[in-house]
Amino acid sequence: MRILFAQDSRDRREALGALLHPCKQLLTQPIFARGKLKGNLKISQLTQEDLQKKYVQTVINAGNQVNEALADCEAAREKHAYYHRQVQVLYDAYTGTHELMDNGKANYLEVLTAQESLLNSQLSEAANMYKGAQAVIALYIALGGGTK
């Protein structure tokens, strides 16, 4: 009977060991994997910080693009009034010189010089208008419009 009892208790221990073996692994796994879990946590935290810094830099870059585009629009608008007034004055000078030539008080070379100045001023005004249009397009793109 003693032999059966010893055999029976050994079977019970083996059965209990087989039952607790998966539990033992589940309980000891975090202890032995603690370094790995801490490492993964640290990597995740560093990745999150890196992504936050990239996001902030992207927002700053976008703000700078919008600011530059607005400054270009404003500069073109301010220059437009100057160029427009210059064209008006040179047009008046051209017509006045043409009238003087008609009355014999100016020669044709003076008329051509006045006309050349007027045309150069008109070209400058047109170039400024083109820069203004480019600035508006750049602003539109900086604000998220358009496609790439």
Side-chain angles (χ1 to χ4, degrees):
M1 194 64 116
R2 283 186 146 191
I3 297 175
L4 284 176
F5 182 69
Q7 181 80 20
D8 193 28
S9 74
R10 190 177 320 156
D11 289 341
R12 284 185 196 167
R13 275 187 273 161
E14 288 176 9
L16 185 61
L19 181 65
L20 291 179
H21 185 66
C23 294
K24 181 174 79 170
Q25 285 181 339
L26 289 175
L27 292 174
T28 59
Q29 186 177 9
I31 295 171
F32 294 121
R34 184 172 173 94
K36 184 177 180 182
L37 294 175
K38 280 186 176 182
N40 288 342
L41 176 65
K42 188 68 173 174
I43 289 170
S44 296
Q45 289 172 341
L46 291 174
T47 303
Q48 181 182 6
E49 289 175 16
D50 185 46
L51 292 175
Q52 285 175 342
K53 288 177 184 177
K54 287 180 181 179
Y55 174 76
V56 168
Q57 188 61 45
T58 301
V59 170
I60 290 171
N61 290 344
N64 287 338
Q65 288 177 350
V66 169
N67 192 32
E68 288 173 11
L70 280 173
D72 291 344
C73 287
E74 183 67 21
R77 189 183 63 78
E78 289 173 0
K79 289 179 182 178
H80 176 71
Y82 167 77
Y83 285 122
H84 187 69
R85 178 70 180 136
Q86 185 181 30
V87 167
Q88 287 176 339
V89 168
L90 290 173
Y91 180 77
D92 292 341
Y94 166 71
T95 56
T97 306
H98 202 280
E99 287 176 10
L100 287 173
M101 185 189 77
D102 289 342
N103 294 330
K105 296 185 179 183
N107 60 25
Y108 189 65
L109 183 60
E110 291 172 339
V111 174
L112 288 177
T113 304
Q115 188 177 22
E116 180 185 18
S117 297
L118 174 62
L119 291 174
N120 284 335
S121 179
Q122 288 173 332
L123 283 173
S124 296
E125 183 182 29
N128 183 62
M129 291 172 70
Y130 179 73
K131 286 180 184 177
Q134 283 181 320
V136 170
I137 292 169
L139 178 62
Y140 178 74
I141 291 170
L143 290 172
T147 59
K148 291 186 179 182

